[in-house]
Amino acid sequence: MADIVHAGLAPEYLDYRAGWDLQRRIHREVVTGERPDTVIFCEHQSVYTAGKRTLPVERPVDSSIPVIDVDRGGKITWHGPGQLVGYPIVRLREPIDVVAFVRRLEAVMLDVLAELGVEAQRVQGRSGVWVRRDSPFGGEVFDKVGAIGLRVQEGVTMHGFALNCSNELTPYAAIIPCGISDAGVTTISAILGRSVTPTDIVGIVTRHLEAAVLHSDAGTSAIVREVAA
């Protein structure tokens, strides 16, 4: 049976460093077998996180939003209120295939979005999930609605995914999100034309994660815990 940890959903936004400390503590416990596979759900206080491949030109200049360098893959992105962040801390089955795990997380987000009425897709050569829109200059462009950035240590994953629900988009203008300059960013609320918050969808995401990712026995459900980081 897996654990689902709610560590900060509106109006109690989670400080990123506190959340990172919580991740590391739970990661150690999963590695040592002290606890089962665990997913942390939260909304962070506004922050930029820069993965190991972030280039200087992709970072914000003179931003009031803090930038934290992290040990996950990928490049720079933003987290903040209105965005549902999920940190699956799970032991990968042997032989370890990180790309396959990324694809499973993408599939979860695609299924969640489809249930909400959002037509999203993968884009070849790019992680995450995307929606297509017509460009005013002709042709098509893609906007990212769900992002993924992972680290695997001792066979157990850290970091995870973020689904843009009802968050603002202006912080993305100060960076090159995920190092991709030829695409945009959007939210579920903007696509559907109505407010959809992280609290609205966390149960749906949990259900799809249980079915596709978590190593729980058939017929059992994850235990949801409310914790303070």
Side-chain angles (χ1 to χ4, degrees), residues 152-205:
V152 179
Q153 184 175 359
E154 298 184 76
V156 176
T157 63
M158 283 184 68
H159 300 288
F161 63 91
L163 267 170
N164 290 342
C165 298
S166 54
N167 51 282
E168 59 177 333
L169 295 175
T170 51
Y172 290 105
I175 62 173
I176 301 178
C178 305
I180 298 172
S181 59
D182 62 346
V185 184
T186 190
T187 67
I188 297 170
S189 295
I191 297 165
L192 295 178
R194 59 182 174 86
S195 177
V196 179
T197 70
T199 302
D200 293 333
I201 71 166
V202 66
I204 301 172
V205 177

Side-chain angles (χ1 to χ4, degrees), residues 34-212:
E34 298 174 64
R35 70 182 298 148
D37 291 344
T38 300
V39 181
I40 303 168
F41 284 113
C42 66
E43 293 174 67
H44 282 301
Q45 296 170 8
S46 187
V47 66
Y48 294 115
T49 64
K52 294 181 290 184
R53 297 190 299 110
T54 302
L55 300 175
V57 70
E58 296 164 349
R59 294 173 177 264
V61 177
D62 298 328
S63 173
S64 61
I65 300 174
V67 180
I68 299 176
D69 291 287
V70 295
D71 59 355
R72 59 162 171 79
K75 297 198 173 191
I76 193 166
T77 192
W78 173 86
H79 298 307
Q83 180 192 71
L84 179 64
V85 176
Y87 296 125
I89 304 176
V90 304
R91 182 176 299 281
L92 298 182
R93 293 189 174 97
E94 298 287 348
I96 291 174
D97 188 336
V98 179
V99 173
F101 186 72
V102 170
R103 298 294 172 260
R104 287 161 68 191
L105 291 180
E106 288 172 344
V108 166
M109 289 194 287
L110 289 170
D111 288 345
V112 168
L113 291 167
E115 185 169 329
L116 294 170
V118 175
E119 184 177 346
Q121 64 185 82
R122 294 182 174 97
V123 172
Q124 187 173 2
R126 295 177 172 178
S127 67
V129 294
W130 305 76
V131 293
R132 187 190 340 232
R133 63 177 168 85
D134 293 331
S135 168
F137 306 104
E140 298 173 328
V141 294
F142 290 92
D143 292 333
K144 180 177 276 191
V145 68
I148 296 174
L150 295 175
R151 174 181 173 85
V152 179
Q153 184 175 359
E154 298 184 76
V156 176
T157 63
M158 283 184 68
H159 300 288
F161 63 91
L163 267 170
N164 290 342
C165 298
S166 54
N167 51 282
E168 59 177 333
L169 295 175
T170 51
Y172 290 105
I175 62 173
I176 301 178
C178 305
I180 298 172
S181 59
D182 62 346
V185 184
T186 190
T187 67
I188 297 170
S189 295
I191 297 165
L192 295 178
R194 59 182 174 86
S195 177
V196 179
T197 70
T199 302
D200 293 333
I201 71 166
V202 66
I204 301 172
V205 177
T206 299
R207 173 162 44 82
H208 285 283
L209 277 171
E210 285 186 77

Side-chain angles (χ1 to χ4, degrees), residues 11-27:
E12 302 296 329
Y13 304 120
L14 179 63
D15 172 79
Y16 185 84
R17 292 188 187 277
W20 197 5
D21 286 342
L22 177 63
Q23 277 196 74
R24 287 182 284 215
R25 176 171 62 80
I26 290 177
H27 182 271

